[in-house]
């Protein structure tokens, strides 16, 4: 057993991370590269010539598994008569992380990465033989890396020869316990890891449903995801997914709807008050007629660009800042203007740059009273002629209503408005 601060080749031991039947794992510092690493040192009594030959073969095989979610082997060599396997150092194992609460989205992300790694190995016909939380290393940002590929198979054979059992108790498939591991054995172990991560309990033989922790599992994931786990954990290997590739495909199908949503309480529909009903009815009946495009800055009631006052709160609207339907905007009052107008029809101001061309418009409904006006076309609610600046004396009506303002004589909507939008007279 190595001690803290002990020099071991180019490594300086910092502390022991784990101890198993096959090897010891230490955290150490690479004094040359200056980075922390993990050293896995098999027990000397298990390292024979036959075992070393298997190790060389499996290390070469594992070195070919270049995948973001597979922990690579940095080095494998002898140091002081000990066979040493060097790995990058993570933040901890999934087993350590399971001691604390894991949210469902994070658990799904971890599951996806683990299955990605296992499917990649199965695509290269590599059986892991020891899928368990302790062999799933977590790095910064919940990045997952599966470790002990190939090495686990050597350990399995070695333990079988020494009579110390096979695999890790709790994650063994029945056929693997009988010394006949297959790709389906890894599927079974992966299913147990996922079940424990979501349900918080590790099932035990004979794996009869409902398993321990099933109530918690139902609260976290959907029935489709439970069916996915159940097939992966079938005792009969022929009922399971044939490999991690097929299991990964099945996971992709149920992942989006895996998380069970908490039942949402139906909110009682609040009935709108009379003011809301009044505004809604006003927009429905007169919104198009008046060209309602904006809202009052003070009371937020609907208003039209042609209004000089807010009909709801009576505030004066000298400058309009809302959207307009005309191509130009008056520099003085902000209301819309057509390109061929010489003056603003709302505030008597000059035009921007009057075009020489004249444009027709279906919105012209009346004529200017000035007989010398060259154009004489007027739109509803204009205050001045846009061609000759003559003040409009016509009393404009609002739709078919007969209500009139007592001061200006223009049409008002007594059933809706509190003020006259043209002169500001209070009507209520």
């Amino acid at each position: 057993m190595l001690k803290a601060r002990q020099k071991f080749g180019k490594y300086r031991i910092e502390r022991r991370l784990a101890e198993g039947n096959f090897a010891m794992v230490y955290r150490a510092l690479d004094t040359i590269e200056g980075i922390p690493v993990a050293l896995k040192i098999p027990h000397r009594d298990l390292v024979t010539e036959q075992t070393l030959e298997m190790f060389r073969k499996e290390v070469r095989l594992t070195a070919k598994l270049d995948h973001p979610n597979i922990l690579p082997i940095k080095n494998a060599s002898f140091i002081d008569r000990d066979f040493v396997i060097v790995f990058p150092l993570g933040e901890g194992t999934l087993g350590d992380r399971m001691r604390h609460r894991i949210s469902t989205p994070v658990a799904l992300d971890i599951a996806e990465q683990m299955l990605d790694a296992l499917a990649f190995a199965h695509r290269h016909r590599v059986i892991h033989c020891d899928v368990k939380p302790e062999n799933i290393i977590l790095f910064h940002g919940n990045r997952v890396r599966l470790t002990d590929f190939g090495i686990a198979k050597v350990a399995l054979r070695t333990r079988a020869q020494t009579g110390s059992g096979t695999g890790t108790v709790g994650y063994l498939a029945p056929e693997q316990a009988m010394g006949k591991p297959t790709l389906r054995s890894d599927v079974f172990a992966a299913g147990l890891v996922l079940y424990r991560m979501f349900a918080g309990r590790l099932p035990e033989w004979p794996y009869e449903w409902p398993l321990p922790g099933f109530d918690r599992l139902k609260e976290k994931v959907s029935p489709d995801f439970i069916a996915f786990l159940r097939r992966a954990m079938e005792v009969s290997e022929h009922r399971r997914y044939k490999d991690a590739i097929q299991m990964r495909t099945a996971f992709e199908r149920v992942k989006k709807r895996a998380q069970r949503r908490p039942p949402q309480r139906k909110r009682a529909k609040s009935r709108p008050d009379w003011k809301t009903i009044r505004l809604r009815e006003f927009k429905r009946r007169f919104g198009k007629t008046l060209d309602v495009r904006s809202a009052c800055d003070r009371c937020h009631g609907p208003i039209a660009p042609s209004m000089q006052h807010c009909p709801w709160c009576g505030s004066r609207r000298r400058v309009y800042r809302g959207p307009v339907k005309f191509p130009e905007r008056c520099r003085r009052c902000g209301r819309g203007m057509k390109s061929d107008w010489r003056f603003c029809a709302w505030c008597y101001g000059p035009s921007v740059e009057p075009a020489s061309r004249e444009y027709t418009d279906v919105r012209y409904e009346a004529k200017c009273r000035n007989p010398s006006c060259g154009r004489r076309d007027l739109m509803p609610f204009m205050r001045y002629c846009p061609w000759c600046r003559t003040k409009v004396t016509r009393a404009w009506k609002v739709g078919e209503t007969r209500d009139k303002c007592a001061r200006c004589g223009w049409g008002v909507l007594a059933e809706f408005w509190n003020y006259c939008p043209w002169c500001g007279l209070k009507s209520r």
Side-chain angles (χ1 to χ4, degrees):
M1 184 178 296
L2 303 178
K3 298 181 180 179
R5 296 183 296 277
Q6 178 180 342
K7 195 71 180 297
F8 188 65
K10 69 170 184 175
Y11 306 101
R12 185 171 66 246
I13 304 299
E14 294 183 349
R15 62 187 177 90
R16 184 179 60 183
L17 294 177
E19 179 179 0
N21 294 329
F22 179 70
M24 302 277 288
V25 182
Y26 295 91
R27 175 191 173 101
L29 176 69
D30 189 324
T31 57
I32 296 179
E33 297 184 23
I35 59 174
V37 295
L39 305 182
K40 188 166 189 176
I41 307 176
H43 300 309
R44 288 183 179 178
D45 57 338
L46 297 180
V47 180
T48 62
E49 288 298 327
Q50 183 181 2
T51 305
L52 285 177
E53 184 58 33
M54 288 191 294
F55 263 125
R56 293 187 185 98
K57 181 180 179 181
E58 297 299 340
V59 166
R60 295 189 192 103
L61 183 63
T62 307
K64 297 179 182 179
L65 297 179
D66 185 13
H67 190 273
N69 298 120
I70 293 179
L71 189 67
I73 296 177
K74 289 178 63 67
N75 190 18
S77 61
F78 275 96
I79 301 177
D80 298 339
R81 296 188 303 143
D82 287 309
F83 186 73
V84 181
I85 309 167
V86 185
F87 299 97
L89 184 68
E91 295 181 346
T93 68
L94 180 59
D96 300 328
R97 183 68 178 83
M98 284 182 178
R99 297 173 186 171
H100 308 280
R101 181 182 175 275
I102 304 178
S103 66
T104 303
V106 172
L108 289 171
D109 182 43
I110 293 174
E112 183 174 10
Q113 295 183 65
M114 181 192 75
L115 292 178
D116 280 344
L118 205 55
F120 183 81
H122 284 190
R123 199 170 287 113
H124 290 78
R125 312 308 297 174
V126 176
I127 307 175
H128 190 286
C129 292
D130 200 15
V131 178
K132 59 183 179 180
E134 288 70 26
N135 282 337
I136 301 172
I137 311 300
L138 301 182
F139 288 77
H140 179 71
N142 281 330
R143 183 180 180 184
V144 170
R145 282 187 164 183
L146 197 55
T147 186
D148 263 2
F149 275 97
I151 307 301
K153 188 187 296 184
V154 176
L156 173 66
R157 295 172 183 172
T158 305
R159 286 194 297 267
Q161 292 171 0
T162 57
S164 57
T166 57
T168 300
V169 177
Y171 297 93
L172 277 177
E175 69 278 3
Q176 184 175 341
M178 299 177 65
K180 299 178 180 180
T182 65
L183 298 176
R184 298 176 191 262
S185 305
D186 285 348
V187 169
F188 184 83
L192 290 175
V193 172
L194 296 184
Y195 187 94
R196 178 184 171 187
M197 184 165 56
F198 287 99
R201 299 281 299 274
L202 178 62
E204 298 178 354
W205 180 264
Y207 305 110
E208 294 180 354
W209 291 76
L211 301 171
F214 184 68
D215 292 338
R216 178 181 175 183
L217 183 69
K218 289 193 300 182
E219 295 176 358
K220 297 187 69 174
V221 296
S222 65
D224 289 343
F225 194 81
I226 294 176
F228 157 77
L229 290 178
R230 190 162 185 170
R231 182 176 175 184
M233 297 164 54
E234 284 284 355
V235 175
S236 173
E237 61 178 312
H238 299 292
R239 295 181 180 178
R240 293 180 222 142
Y241 302 107
K242 65 179 182 179
D243 52 31
I245 303 171
Q246 189 181 43
M247 184 179 180
R248 176 66 178 82
T249 303
F251 175 83
E252 188 65 29
R253 288 197 299 266
V254 301
K255 180 184 67 172
K256 292 183 179 180
R257 56 181 184 275
Q259 186 173 358
R260 180 180 287 275
R261 303 292 180 183
Q264 296 182 352
R265 296 180 180 178
K266 293 184 178 180
R267 297 182 179 179
K269 294 183 178 180
S270 57
R271 294 183 178 179
D273 56 16
W274 65 271
K275 291 183 179 180
T276 304
I277 296 175
R278 182 178 65 166
L279 295 178
R280 187 183 300 167
E281 182 65 14
F282 164 73
K283 288 182 178 180
R284 186 186 69 82
R285 291 172 56 184
F286 300 99
K288 187 175 182 180
T289 302
L290 293 167
D291 189 30
V292 174
R293 289 175 172 266
S294 184
C296 176
D297 298 333
R298 181 178 174 185
C299 68
H300 306 292
I303 58 173
S306 58
M307 293 178 178
Q308 302 295 318
H309 300 265
C310 175
W312 315 100
C313 66
S315 60
R316 183 67 185 272
R317 304 196 57 79
R318 296 181 184 274
V319 179
Y320 175 77
R321 296 182 175 83
V324 295
K325 60 181 178 181
F326 297 99
E328 305 292 343
R329 186 185 288 267
C330 177
R331 295 176 179 176
R332 180 190 292 179
C333 68
R335 291 171 172 83
M337 299 176 60
K338 287 180 67 68
S339 300
D340 56 340
W341 289 358
R342 297 180 59 194
F343 308 101
C344 177
W346 323 106
C347 73
Y348 199 79
S351 65
V352 181
E353 288 184 5
S356 58
R357 177 184 173 186
E358 293 183 355
Y359 298 92
T360 59
D361 199 308
V362 295
R363 290 168 289 190
Y364 291 126
E365 294 184 3
K367 295 291 184 179
C368 174
R369 64 185 176 90
N370 183 2
S372 62
C373 179
R375 182 70 179 266
R376 303 185 68 183
D377 291 326
L378 299 177
M379 291 183 185
F381 311 112
M382 280 184 170
R383 302 175 67 85
Y384 304 95
C385 174
W387 320 105
C388 66
R389 266 186 178 174
T390 301
K391 186 174 178 63
V392 177
T393 58
R394 177 190 178 97
W396 297 106
K397 294 182 179 181
V398 180
E400 300 298 327
T401 181
R402 296 183 179 181
D403 298 329
K404 296 182 180 180
C405 174
R407 178 190 292 173
C408 66
W410 285 27
V412 294
L413 300 175
E415 60 179 320
F416 294 106
W417 293 341
N418 302 320
Y419 297 86
C420 173
W422 322 116
C423 68
L425 179 66
K426 186 174 182 179
S427 58
R428 293 187 183 183

